[in-house]
Each structure stands twice: as C-alpha cells, then as structure tokens.
Amino acid sequence: MPLQSVNDFVVRFANVNGSGSASANELFARSVLRMGIPVAPRNIFPSNIQGLPTWYEVRISEAGHRGARGGGTDLMVAMNPQTWAKDVASVVPGGYLFYDSTRPIPASQFRDDITVIGVPLTAICNREYTDPRQRQLFKNIIYLGALSALLDMDVKAIEKLIGEQFKGKDKLIAPNVHALHLGRDYATMNLECPIGLRLKACDKVGDRIFVEGNSAAALGAVYGGATVCAWYPITPSSSLAEAFGRHCARYRVDPETKANKFAIVQAEDELASIGMVIGAAWNGARAFTATSGPGISLMQEFIGLAYFAEIPSVIVDVQRAGPSTGMPTRTQQCDVAICAYASHGDTKHVLLLPEDPAEAFEFTAQAFDLADRLQTPVFVLTDLDIGMNNHLCRPLTWDDSRTYDRGKVMSAEDLEAGKEFGRYLDVDADGIPYRTYPGTHPKRGSFFTRGTSRDRFAKYTEEGDAYVDNMQRLLRKFETAKRLVPAPVRHDAAKPTRHGVIYYGSTSPAMDEARDLLESAGHHVNTLRVRAFPFAQDVVDFITEHDFVLVVEQNRDAQLRMLLSNECNLDPMKLVPILHYDGTPITARFSAGAIGDHLNALKVTPLRKVGS
C-alpha cells in the first residue's frame, strides 16, 4: 500500500558530487519552507571535490521536528547509478522511488513494495539543450519541477525563489523557470499527480529563520566585537571564516573612508593562525580562529601559552570525525576532551556548547566577553551538522544597549593614581588579575609576558611556592567561570522519575523529539542540556538526585561522561553512556531506542507465587 502522508515525510536526493545538484536540492527545501512547512535538511557529502556520491536529506515535519528522522526514506530521488542498489534498499515499504527513466532498467533492480516513478530527464535535456554543462545543470531543475507536481508544491513559490537566487544575474532566471516547467509539465501530463505524499500550505514556521550554523557563528563574532580572524582552511570550518569576511565587508567598513576596520589573515598553517590570534589579543584586539579537530591538535602549545600567560582568545572548533584525518565531511562530538584539557601540564579551558545556529551566534558573541573577563582561551564547540547545514531556528537577537565586558583592565588614570599593579596579583579573590594594554602608561603598568613560571608581579621564578600559588589562582578563576558561562537547561518529565538524561550540542533536536517518543512508550526521564564547561552546580545536583543518568553524545569514548566523572567527583557508575558515532547526525529513533532499551532492562517481572 503506497504511503499516504501530508507534511510529514522524508525526501532524500542521491546525486554525484560536483553535478550542480546542491543548489537545486536546497531550492526544494526552501520552497517547502515558503509554504509554511518546517524542514530539517542534512547534506551528506564526500571529502573529495567531484565524482563521489552525495546525498541531501530533507525531513518535512509540520510538527517542527528538527532532527534527522532515521529509519529509512519515504521518497528517494535516485540520480546516481553508483549508489542505486543502496538507495533503492533505503526506501521504506510503501515508499516512492523517483528516477531518470531515459535508459531502461531491468525489473530486477526495483522492489515490489514501493511505487516507482520514472521521468526521462536525460532525454528531455538532450532535446532542449546542446551544451553538455547546461544539460547537467538543468537536469536538476527539471526533476525539481517534476517533484513540484508530484508533491503538489506551490510552483509560484519556487519561481520566486529562483528569481531571488539569481538576482543580479537576471539572464539566468527565465531559463531556470523554463526548466522547472519542463519537469512539471511532463509530470502533470504523464504521471498521476499528486502522489500519496503531499505538501499542504500551512503556517507552522512562524518567525523562525533558516540559517547555516557557520554563518550564524561568524555573525556572532562580528557582534561580539571581533576585529581579527586568523585561520587556515579546514573542513568543516572554512565557511565560518569566509562568512566572517562577508559580514565584515558589510558591518566593519568605515562608511566615509571605506577603510576596512578588520583584519582577516589566511595563515600558512594552524600554528601560525593561533599565534596571530594570541598576538592580536595581547594587544587588546578581539581575535579568533576557526578550525576543526586536526587544527586543535596542532595548536596545543600556543593554547597552553595563552592559558598560562592569560591572554584572551576565542577558538571556534567545528568538530568532525577523527582521529587523524578521520572522516572530514562527517559529524561528531569528539573534540570535547582535547579542548577541555588542551596543551600539556595542568590546564582547563572554558567550553561553550551551542545546540543550533541561534546559540552559535549568541555563544560566539559571548565567548569574547568571557575571554576578556577571564583572560583565557575560550572554545566554542559546534560540529559539522550545526556548522554546514541550514537549520530552522529562532531569530538571532541582539540588545543594542549591550556593552562589551573587557574585564579587569587597569587604565593610565588608575596607574597614575597609584593603584598597585601586579600582572598576576589576585586582589578580588576570584582568580582574575588586572592587566594593562601595551602602551597604557609610559612608566607604569608594564610587564613581561612569558610562558614560564613567575610570581604575582610577572617576575621570572622557579620557586615552588610561587608556582603553586599561581596554579591555585588559575583554579579559582576556573571556579569563577562557573558563574559566568551559560547555565544548563532542564526539562522535567510529566511524572516523577529517578532516571535522568544529560545531552549537549547537536544532540538536542534528537533528544527533544526522543522525549515524546519515550513518554508515549511509558518511559519518563528528566533531561538536562549542558551548555558549558566548567559545569555549574546545577549539573552536579541533577546527577546526585537521580539513581542513574544516561549521557547521550556522538563519540566513541563517552567524552562528556568522562568530564562529568572527572570534574564532579561523582560515582562514574551512575553515568550510563549512550553513544552514536557513525558520522551521521544522531536521530530521535536511535536516542529513544537506546534509552528505552536501558530502561526496559530495569523492569523485573516478579515471579508468580506457588499455587497462585
């Protein structure tokens, strides 16, 4: 029986990397969005430039579910012969397979339990176009046109989006609209339209916006006051630095002189980039770098210098799968441990863990305040799923009355008035000393910045007492950070329970939906979304008040669980790992299934009494 569903299904496009399909597939997702229907797209692509398989999955959910659904595809648009068998197998029973029927395919290559829809895309292109590149590019728009008829889409919305996409290149608008109608007309005249999967206009998007995480984080850096970005290209963070350049061109150029009020340097490697960030920050600029796991590995020694010399700096780590090169275009949450303790010796760093582009914007902006206030490196940990995909999220907001927190900076007037200055002197018992910017005063407030041991006045010493005094002060500063970082977000179950779940970052959409799935199955859990390290007391209290807590994360070694065990001084047996690390975004089905299996294992059926 063919599937019947309105505004609740998954469409998956199977293409070849470099075929120009990406823009057409995104156009499909945006067209659904224009009909007022929430979407959650995921781009799955290889780490080469051209020729290998790529997929684009669009979850359509009027209920607003934001995560990947998992469990199969309802409509497969199979445009890649290399992955045909795998793509056909992934269609759920009763689902639909859309393909290019120009060349006949043996019946043995199909399935009896799905509906097969053929459109001779190549033949239509060969008839209409002579240029090989045009044939390839317009083929994507033609299948979009056919889908618009099959799914009962608003074709006017698609035409409007095409006009917006090619604004400034007006000669391309009419040909693309023509290609759209070639596919739509063929489907209308030759196929049964619409199919069982349909799109019906509604108003479920509201004021939410559709934005990529890397772009949002880059805009957060602009609003956070960043004027310097030093970076080295690495997937999946490169588009963040590029977006920062575009945002700066709009917001960081003097309107009168046209002079740039920013500096963006593509360094020769990651070591140079973090060195430039530290140098700029030492001079008083707000500076950052964007990288991924391998870059963090290379930056270790400089990160240790910034921690020990107490120089503000911001590092946005868009995580990908490791170790080594790993899977550069797959997502994971596998840099948590290395970022928390980056560099040798006893170091601890502040980590911010946004769940989506909206928080990526807010947390990146906040990172610069925290770095200045705490005089230390601050990491913003997103991942490929957040960074390189468009997400439907709440609008980005900013309070124009907000002022930057530059922390404890001693001015020339303070020094002139006779205030005692010791670069590593803790006068407020919060672990944070006062600093001066270079050139603050001609005679006072100067100090020597070093990565070696020193006393409270920055004088070199290897005396054990001075070293211990400094290291203990750094711990006090880390305790102070607990009150400054974003607080965790708690959600209590409808019924009292002794079972808890902790999660963070891009696992959030899956867990939001998994809560409903668990409750419908009779499982009740309290949840806590951790948004920062160091952990606030609320995190410790949450773990303490439950018999056990499941920790959901996307890495092999349960890195957040390790941090919780190490930092909260709790019995690690109370923390049960729920792990997903195949490189694809975690799904609600996986999360609810794994949590449900654990909870079911706790249910013991009492033995029947003899004679009963």
Side-chain angles (χ1 to χ4, degrees), residues 392-407:
L392 192 62
C393 63
R394 56 187 169 79
L396 310 183
T397 59
W398 185 260
D399 183 357
D400 288 332
S401 66
R402 175 174 168 179
T403 58
Y404 297 142
D405 183 353
R406 299 310 302 257

Side-chain angles (χ1 to χ4, degrees), residues 67-131:
R69 187 184 70 182
T73 302
D74 300 314
L75 169 60
M76 171 62 71
V77 181
M79 294 291 110
N80 187 358
Q82 295 177 343
T83 61
W84 175 268
K86 179 179 179 180
D87 295 332
V88 172
S90 70
V91 181
V92 300
Y96 299 82
L97 174 70
F98 178 101
Y99 79 107
D100 182 354
S101 61
T102 300
R103 294 182 180 179
I105 295 178
S108 60
Q109 300 298 308
F110 297 105
R111 285 169 44 193
D112 295 335
D113 61 342
I114 61 177
T115 299
V116 178
I117 304 168
V119 175
L121 299 170
T122 300
I124 295 172
C125 286
N126 290 343
R127 184 188 71 224
E128 291 287 326
Y129 309 104
T130 56
D131 181 79

Side-chain angles (χ1 to χ4, degrees), residues 33 78 104 123 160 175 409 565 592 610:
L33 199 62
K160 185 176 180 181
V409 179
S565 301
V610 177

Side-chain angles (χ1 to χ4, degrees), residues 190-203:
N190 297 280
L191 302 172
E192 185 177 340
C193 298
I195 59 175
L197 305 177
R198 298 183 60 182
L199 296 169
K200 183 179 180 181
C202 62
D203 187 17

Side-chain angles (χ1 to χ4, degrees), residues 218-226 251-252 286 361 365 397-398 400 402 404:
L219 189 61
V222 173
Y223 273 74
Y251 297 113
R252 287 260 190 275
R286 289 195 155 184
F361 169 79
T397 59
W398 185 260
D400 288 332
R402 175 174 168 179
Y404 297 142

